[in-house]
Amino acid sequence: MKMIGTHTAAFGMMAALSAMSATAQNMSFGADNFYRSDIVTVQPIAFPSQFQTTVVGNLFTRHNLTRSVSAPAIIVGHPMGAVKEQSANLYATKLAEQGFVTVSLDLPFWGSSEGEPRNGVSPDYFAEAFSAAVDYLGTQDFVDRERIGALGICASGGFIISAAKIDPRMKAIATVSMYDMGAVSRNGLHKSQSLEQRKEIIAGAAQQRWVEIEGGETQYTGGTINNLTADSPPVAREFYDFYRTPRGEFTPADTTPELTTHPTLSSNSKFMNFYPYNDIDSISPRPILFVAGDQAHSREFTEDAYARAAEPKELLWVPRAGHVDLYDRVELIPFNRLTQYFRANLVAN
Ligand SMILES: *[C@@H]1O[C@H](CO)[C@@H](O)[C@H](O)[C@H]1NC(C)=O
Ligand SMILES: *[C@@H]1O[C@H](CO)[C@@H](O)[C@H](O)[C@H]1NC(C)=O
Ligand SMILES: *[C@@H]1O[C@H](CO)[C@@H](O)[C@H](O)[C@H]1NC(C)=O
């Protein structure tokens, strides 16, 4: 009887699993967004931006870090609409294992960092958060303030480039699966959006300002679809698989799953005015390493930035990887190359 019971339960579970498989997450290539390391200590931190808003992050240090010798440090930025628990903590952990002091942070208006409205967009505040992290790290006595680098995933690649242009304390820059939020907001992916369509979006955001100033409800836009349908396009499915399944789903305190990833409609138009790659060549002679999957739907943003950047610059296409694959698939993410790059470029003067 017991045997039969177990059998029936096993069958029931298999049926449930196969019914789910159409939407279940894809954990291939070692997807491990929530990875924790046995040799790294994670400590919550908070520090002020220049505008006196609090930026919240995590500090990662290897257990055996010699605190009397100042170490090189790396700041890690999360994808747009995400929080530090998504991809940024993973990169920060892996780089801390290699002996770097690392910080992941929540961009202002997102996660635990201050800023109103929640889910707001301000490229200036986003860039400022990375300079504020340099302030924080550079005033720790176990960090060498001459050896601070920054790594941005997805949109944070663009935010870090915009920060680095005016903050030479960032000595080496890396971007992974970079998105230029300015270009994609203005033109769509692969320049699929016309000027007329752009103007409609801008007009919609402006109209929504009237609603909000008169006490109406906040509207949200963009981000990752909450529900898959038969018509959901491949790019939407790619993000859904990460943000809306246990593979990468994370809901910070004081928010709800339905609101995660979605910026406010009235602030999102700020991206129309964001040109992170203008003057990117002025970052030289500090180096930039651009990493993206050769299958990434976002390739154009890495190609454009790489073409415009001055030497020294490196471009690494990860074979067979798509855009979101490099958020969490540890068998595809080139952690060794990133480690070598920061070791070679965060060197004592
Ligand atoms: C899972 O993701 C990998 C990496 O993007 C991809 O190669 C593979 O085709 C995906 N599998 C399914 C069943 O979608
Ligand atoms: C610290 O730990 C790492 C990883 O376990 C090891 O490779 C390294 O040699 C250690 N360093 C010191 C100074 O003990
Ligand atoms: C859509 O997904 C949300 C979770 O984000 C869920 O709460 C809701 O029930 C879903 N709606 C439909 C119509 O399936």
Side-chain angles (χ1 to χ4, degrees), residues 246-306:
R247 176 181 155 202
E249 188 170 51
F250 187 87
T251 304
D254 306 322
T255 186
T256 55
E258 304 77 64
L259 282 187
T260 59
T261 79
H262 304 297
T264 73
L265 175 67
S266 59
S267 70
N268 201 44
S269 56
K270 300 275 191 278
F271 277 140
M272 301 284 184
N273 233 355
F274 179 49
Y275 293 85
Y277 302 162
N278 284 4
D279 302 326
I280 189 174
D281 54 315
S282 68
I283 292 174
S284 167
R286 290 172 291 144
I288 312 178
L289 168 63
F290 301 93
V291 179
D294 68 358
Q295 306 299 310
H297 69 258
S298 56
R299 275 182 68 122
E300 62 186 298
F301 305 118
T302 291
E303 283 165 354
D304 184 20
Y306 179 73

Side-chain angles (χ1 to χ4, degrees), residues 224-228 240 243-244 249 256-260 262:
T224 300
I225 52 172
N226 288 7
N227 302 91
L228 274 189
Y240 182 97
Y243 285 111
R244 304 281 179 222
E249 188 170 51
T256 55
E258 304 77 64
L259 282 187
T260 59
H262 304 297

Side-chain angles (χ1 to χ4, degrees), residues 13-77:
M13 214 169 94
M14 275 169 67
L17 277 174
S18 75
M20 265 173 61
S21 65
T23 53
Q25 73 269 25
N26 177 346
M27 299 300 284
S28 68
F29 295 100
D32 201 2
N33 180 67
F34 298 102
Y35 173 70
R36 285 296 180 102
S37 173
D38 291 341
I39 60 165
V40 170
T41 305
V42 189
Q43 184 193 326
I45 55 171
F47 47 88
S49 74
Q50 191 175 57
F51 305 120
Q52 300 306 314
T53 62
T54 299
V55 178
V56 169
N58 287 321
L59 175 70
F60 299 81
T61 48
R62 197 166 65 189
H63 293 330
N64 67 358
L65 191 78
T66 315
R67 292 221 168 201
S68 55
V69 180
S70 47
I74 303 167
I75 302 152
V76 183

